[in-house]
Amino acid sequence: MIRTSFNADWQTRRKVNPFAELSGPVAPFEAVTLPHDALIGQDRVAPDGAVTMEGGAGAYFPGGVFEYRKTFSVPEELRGERVQFEFEGVYRDATVHINGAYAGQRPYGYSQFLVDADPFLRYGEDNEIRVEARAHQDARWYTGAGIYRPVWMLTGGLVRIAPDGIRVTTLDVEGERAVVEVATRVRNDSIALRTLDLTVNLRDASGDTVTGDVTQVTVLPGEDAVVRTRLYVREASLWDVDSPSLYGCHVTLGAEGEPVDSDSVEFGIRSLRLDPEQGLRINGRTVKLRGACVHHDNGPLGAATYARSEERRVELLKDAGFNAIRMSHHPMSRAMLDACDRVGMLVVDETFDVWTSAKSGFDYSLHFPEWWERDVEAMVAKDYNHPSVIMYSIGNEIPEAGSPTGAAWGRRLAEKVRSLDSTRYVTNAVNGFLAVMSELAALRGQRAEGAEEGGGVNSQMADAGDMINYVSASDLVTRRTAESFAVLDVAGMNYAEARYALDRELFPNRIILGTETFPTRIDGNWKLVREHGHVVGDFTWTGWDYLGEVGIGRPQFATPEQPRPEHTAPFPHLLAGCGDLDITGHRRPQSYYREIVFGLRAEPYIAVRRPEHHGLTPIGGPWAWSDSIASWTWPGFEGKPVTVEVYSDADEVELLGNGNSFGRRPVGAGHRFRTEFEIVYVPGELVAVAYRDGVETGRTSLTWAHGPIRLTAEADRAVVRATGGDLAHIALTLTDAAGTLHTAADRPVTVEVSGAGELIGFGSAAPASEERFDADARYTYEGRALAVVRPTGPGKIRVLATAPDCEPAEAVVTVE
């Protein structure tokens, strides 16, 4: 079928009661281009105000019902053909009407779905499509709302290749020869038997045909036929994370020498193997998953899914040392899958955060029993040709996993996935603590018993992470989750590294993946991953910071009124604060620490704790890193004490301040790859030097920013495309004359976009702010802000940035 973008010329507004408009419109429509997040432009409200999505979980955004409409024409020549609309994602409880008639719906907010339009169309004249979406206390994170992913118009004849009708499977790889099967689903909606020629061509990255075949196919009226073409690729270029080689598969339907339909997909040739000794092997090589859990929002863009924003996230996560992404806790967008294929990033794609047991007042559990199969089918159809996808997760922290009925549901989902795709593995991100929540009283009794014996588990539970691990490794969890794990290929475990060695003995055939772990424990977790063949990787919560679950990773300090950490931060907090990268894509100290633990960085890294909190007792939760940044610019704290953290895999590090040594301290794996120096802040230069066996192996430095402040504007790329969801990301930075980032001179920055583009998002990584992302002015945070610009056509985009006491800065981007 012919696929045409259907993203332009929409209008949207909050839905109003139709009776309220009997005397005329009471709420105006706003013109928008899809993808569009209807929530990100709403004013956030404190908990004592209007009802919010889920309080701090939803970043204090209000829920609501939103409607979209578009007028479009259908030419007369399409009469008698098939017209469909493909929605990649609408959040949530979407209903679609065409010319006033109900045409379709989809309760789940993350599934792609098709709507047959031809029964409702008026040919040769204007038509109207309306879409409604609802978001209200139905998730544990910021979801956004509305038509947040692209929409396509599909047109084709009665005999055609079905949407997502091409599936390419690597049957065998041996040496430089690969066997590839192309399964093409041909649909015949006519009333006549049809016999056609189906031509398959495989092309390499240069577009040259490497192999192909022609097959005759007869399709009965009103039925589908699947045509399987087995092809042999000699000197195949294999796809893996280090060399993501892609091929194109082009399929053409023809009759009597005339083309009837055509379609094409990209795919990669690679093999997967799995066993408890060598773990996960890709093309015969063992690969440990250096994983990042990510939510779907794109920071200043909210939930709006642009291809370039997804690609940029994948690129930056790869640069930070990750080789795998777990999309949490819902199916990944097509655009991010495409990016993972191109960049070389492995994917664990996830189905649901809930099954039959609700976690929020109006969540998907209300629809799961009726719709789960269609949603699983949609995810697999979307993922099948992507070599980056190696595993499907059937759920996240499902409470039912600790019960017999939950295990039965898990078996049902796992077998459904396998029936659709037997080439990947199936996992489930099980939280053992949550799975036995109803029986924790018994464990509390054991805990009290141990305390009477002289400490027991009380001495083991330094924080919530210890408690969760203690419960997850208990006999109770072992028994209650045994069947739920047995239905899987890979036992996904959230915050349960205490089971890794234990299960080697209890379940010698069990293969484990740390599907969610605390960022503060990566050193110990990665040691377990490296030591145990049956543990195939670790996924931190999270790789990229996100909107909602506000403050779970924020630094906190003990006070008499608050001796323990609070899980949720008060309004106007906005961000979770636990990402290795912040919402603008800037790497935080924990990212460099992780890179060192992974063995990917030789140079040491310096992070300085904010001196205003010196001497306070940190009580941050298990997702919270230390209150540190990579800066040596602290005006007003001259001569005052400061704590300097240094991360390194060397034997020891030396810290130098303006040439004066503060001594050497041991570091490396035996010291959790980190050490601290208590010194006095003196402006100038701070240098860390790493030594192994007494020989310098690397050094890094921080320099104070001083003198006049400059504003700089730098685009991530000089040239962007006018179509295809491309964007320009403009980094706005405050520096001194030498280019040193000034983290202590934050001020409002205003941007003006002219030419062939428009501003669609402007923000910083400030964890708490009442500023809006759709405004043209924003305070920097730690010297940084990010403006996101969408091309509107070929030409030049000029972004002019101004700030008090700074010369204006300009970035120019060419749109082709």
Side-chain angles (χ1 to χ4, degrees):
M1 300 184 78
I2 299 173
R3 177 181 294 263
T4 306
S5 174
F6 204 65
N7 294 323
D9 303 321
W10 286 81
Q11 295 178 317
T12 188
R13 68 174 180 179
R14 277 186 173 271
K15 182 174 173 57
V16 299
N17 186 321
F19 295 103
E21 294 195 317
L22 290 176
S23 59
V26 297
F29 277 91
E30 168 195 359
V32 295
T33 299
L34 304 182
H36 176 258
D37 180 359
L39 274 192
I40 200 67
Q42 306 291 317
D43 288 322
R44 297 190 301 141
V45 292
D48 57 351
V51 176
T52 62
M53 282 286 294
E54 200 65 43
Y60 302 108
F61 278 89
V65 182
F66 302 91
E67 60 179 330
Y68 292 77
R69 71 182 185 187
K70 174 174 176 167
T71 300
F72 64 101
S73 61
V74 182
E76 183 66 36
E77 53 264 30
L78 288 181
R79 186 184 296 274
E81 298 203 352
R82 288 293 177 255
V83 180
Q84 295 176 309
F85 293 111
E86 181 184 79
F87 295 85
E88 291 192 22
V90 181
Y91 201 89
R92 183 178 170 269
D93 278 320
T95 57
V96 181
H97 289 75
I98 298 174
N99 293 326
Y102 167 83
Q105 68 183 107
R106 196 69 171 211
Y108 197 35
Y110 300 102
S111 285
Q112 64 177 29
F113 63 98
L114 284 169
V115 172
D116 290 324
D118 24 288
F120 316 106
L121 295 176
R122 297 192 290 256
Y123 296 90
E125 55 184 292
D126 285 345
N127 296 260
E128 183 183 68
I129 183 170
R130 284 181 177 258
V131 180
E132 293 182 7
R134 298 151 182 84
H136 174 67
Q137 297 183 22
D138 54 16
R140 301 180 299 116
W141 56 86
Y142 175 84
T143 61
I147 312 178
Y148 70 100
R149 287 179 179 170
V151 179
W152 302 90
M153 185 177 185
L154 308 182
T155 57
L158 296 180
V159 181
R160 64 200 183 280
I161 300 170
D164 289 319
I166 303 173
R167 293 192 173 190
V168 186
T169 306
T170 300
L171 299 179
D172 181 37
V173 178
E174 183 178 350
E176 295 182 342
R177 188 270 295 149
V179 182
V180 173
E181 179 187 82
V182 180
T184 305
R185 183 173 296 275
V186 180
R187 183 162 298 166
N188 181 5
D189 283 336
S190 74
I191 60 173
L193 180 146
R194 296 292 302 273
T195 298
L196 307 100
D197 292 326
L198 187 141
T199 304
V200 178
N201 281 302
L202 302 189
R203 299 168 180 170
D204 61 18
S206 300
D208 297 327
T209 297
V210 296
T211 187
D213 202 357
V214 180
T215 306
Q216 197 170 70
V217 53
T218 298
V219 195
L220 297 174
E223 293 190 8
D224 290 359
V226 176
V227 183
R228 298 187 185 274
T229 308
R230 183 183 291 247
L231 299 170
Y232 301 89
V233 182
R234 294 164 178 81
E235 300 182 357
S237 298
L238 302 187
W239 187 99
D240 63 24
V241 292
D242 298 321
S243 179
S245 301
L246 293 174
Y247 286 86
C249 174
H250 188 76
V251 180
T252 303
L253 268 183
E256 299 178 354
E258 295 296 323
V260 172
D261 195 12
S262 65
D263 200 359
S264 60
V265 298
E266 284 193 324
F267 70 99
I269 298 174
R270 53 116 179 92
S271 67
L272 296 178
R273 299 288 186 272
L274 190 67
D275 68 74
E277 299 300 326
Q278 299 186 68
L280 173 69
R281 285 179 289 165
I282 301 177
N283 302 328
R285 179 175 64 93
T286 296
V287 175
K288 296 290 189 178
L289 302 182
R290 305 189 302 269
C293 295
V294 298
H295 268 316
H296 73 302
D297 75 75
N298 274 294
L301 299 178
T305 304
Y306 287 87
R308 174 54 190 163
S309 60
E310 301 285 72
E311 180 183 58
R312 178 174 177 267
R313 278 205 290 170
V314 175
E315 290 173 346
L316 293 177
L317 287 166
K318 183 79 177 282
D319 290 343
F322 294 109
N323 67 4
I325 290 175
R326 170 182 171 233
M327 177 50 67
S328 314
H329 307 288
H330 46 71
M332 183 179 282
S333 71
R334 282 184 179 270
M336 183 169 274
L337 287 170
D338 290 340
C340 289
D341 289 346
R342 291 191 300 269
V343 172
M345 182 73 81
L346 301 172
V347 172
V348 177
D349 209 3
E350 198 152 80
T351 51
F352 312 112
D353 186 54
V354 293
W355 293 350
T356 61
S357 180
K359 294 178 180 177
S360 304
F362 303 93
D363 64 22
Y364 181 69
S365 64
L366 299 172
H367 300 282
F368 175 84
E370 179 183 355
W371 284 86
W372 71 271
E373 286 191 89
R374 281 169 282 189
D375 290 323
V376 170
E377 290 166 356
M379 182 182 75
V380 174
K382 168 180 62 68
D383 289 9
Y384 193 93
N385 293 317
H386 292 277
S388 55
V389 179
I390 58 170
M391 211 174 299
Y392 297 112
S393 170
I394 59 174
N396 170 71
E397 297 187 340
I398 304 299
E400 301 96 303
S403 69
T405 55
W409 267 111
R411 191 180 304 278
R412 190 178 296 169
L413 269 80
E415 290 306 312
K416 177 66 176 181
V417 170
R418 293 181 180 119
S419 72
L420 298 168
D421 184 356
S422 62
T423 69
R424 272 100 172 180
Y425 303 115
V426 179
T427 188
N428 186 6
V430 174
N431 185 318
F433 181 89
L434 188 62
V436 298
M437 186 76 76
S438 62
E439 296 187 36
L440 287 183
L443 287 177
R444 281 198 295 270
Q446 296 175 21
R447 180 179 178 183
E449 201 175 300
E452 293 175 2
E453 296 172 358
V457 298
N458 283 321
S459 61
Q460 302 172 30
M461 294 186 184
D463 60 21
D466 289 334
M467 180 184 67
I468 293 172
N469 255 293
Y470 169 76
V471 173
S472 293
S474 66
D475 290 339
L476 177 61
V477 169
T478 300
R479 288 184 280 106
R480 291 283 297 272
T481 61
E483 186 180 359
S484 283
F485 282 135
V487 308
L488 307 170
D489 303 310
V490 178
M493 296 186 181
N494 285 12
Y495 310 112
E497 62 268 21
R499 293 210 67 94
Y500 295 180
L502 176 68
D503 282 3
R504 181 69 168 177
E505 304 301 323
L506 295 178
F507 304 96
N509 295 315
R510 178 177 286 180
I511 298 169
I512 294 173
L513 175 62
T515 38
E516 200 166 306
T517 64
F518 296 119
T520 52
R521 298 186 170 207
I522 184 57
D523 58 314
N525 289 349
W526 195 246
K527 182 173 184 290
L528 292 171
V529 173
R530 288 190 291 105
E531 290 177 346
H532 294 288
H534 71 292
V535 182
V536 299
D538 176 279
F539 281 80
T540 187
W541 192 263
T542 57
W544 194 283
D545 205 10
Y546 58 98
L547 307 174
E549 288 192 301
V550 297
I552 67 168
R554 75 193 189 283
Q556 299 182 66
F557 302 93
T559 65
E561 299 77 21
Q562 185 190 328
R564 297 180 181 276
E566 294 181 339
H567 183 72
T568 300
F571 182 85
H573 273 77
L574 178 71
L575 308 178
C578 58
D580 274 27
L581 282 72
D582 67 30
I583 64 166
T584 70
H586 175 68
R587 294 178 65 182
R588 302 169 67 210
Q590 67 203 61
S591 173
Y592 294 93
Y593 177 80
R594 184 182 310 278
E595 190 179 18
I596 290 168
V597 171
F598 284 156
L600 302 175
R601 177 185 170 95
E603 295 80 13
Y605 185 81
I606 304 172
V608 181
R609 295 185 192 169
R610 301 175 196 273
E612 62 263 34
H613 296 144
H614 191 271
L616 299 180
T617 302
I619 57 168
W623 293 278
W625 199 251
S626 64
D627 186 28
S628 59
I629 62 173
S631 175
W632 196 232
T633 304
W634 303 101
F637 290 93
E638 293 81 1
K640 295 183 179 180
V642 66
T643 302
V644 177
E645 301 174 353
V646 182
Y647 314 146
S648 175
D649 65 352
D651 299 332
E652 57 183 359
V653 292
E654 181 180 18
L655 188 67
L656 306 169
N658 298 331
N660 301 311
S661 176
F662 296 110
R664 296 189 184 187
R665 294 185 59 85
V667 70
H671 299 270
R672 301 196 64 190
F673 300 95
R674 61 191 297 166
T675 190
E676 297 175 4
F677 294 84
E678 292 290 337
I679 64 176
V680 170
Y681 174 61
V682 176
E685 183 182 42
L686 199 63
V687 179
V689 184
Y691 298 91
R692 183 173 286 113
D693 297 327
V695 178
E696 180 180 332
T697 59
R699 63 173 58 205
T700 191
S701 65
L702 294 177
T703 305
W704 69 311
H706 60 287
I709 298 171
R710 299 175 54 199
L711 173 64
T712 64
E714 184 176 356
D716 58 340
R717 293 169 304 148
V719 180
V720 300
R721 300 183 308 276
T723 58
D726 208 355
L727 301 172
H729 294 78
I730 314 297
L732 303 167
T733 311
L734 300 174
T735 72
D736 65 8
T740 302
L741 177 69
H742 204 311
T743 56
D746 289 319
R747 60 198 59 201
V749 176
T750 300
V751 295
E752 179 183 338
V753 178
S754 59
E758 63 177 350
L759 182 70
I760 61 169
F762 187 24
S764 74
S769 174
E770 294 189 56
E771 295 175 293
R772 293 170 57 118
F773 290 119
D774 58 354
D776 61 2
R778 181 84 186 205
Y779 259 86
T780 58
Y781 178 71
E782 295 175 354
R784 297 182 179 88
L786 180 73
V788 186
V789 177
R790 185 182 71 85
T792 55
K796 299 282 187 182
I797 301 174
R798 286 179 169 79
V799 180
L800 179 67
T802 57
D805 302 319
C806 295
E807 291 293 322
E810 186 179 61
V812 179
V813 178
T814 300
V815 183
E816 295 182 345

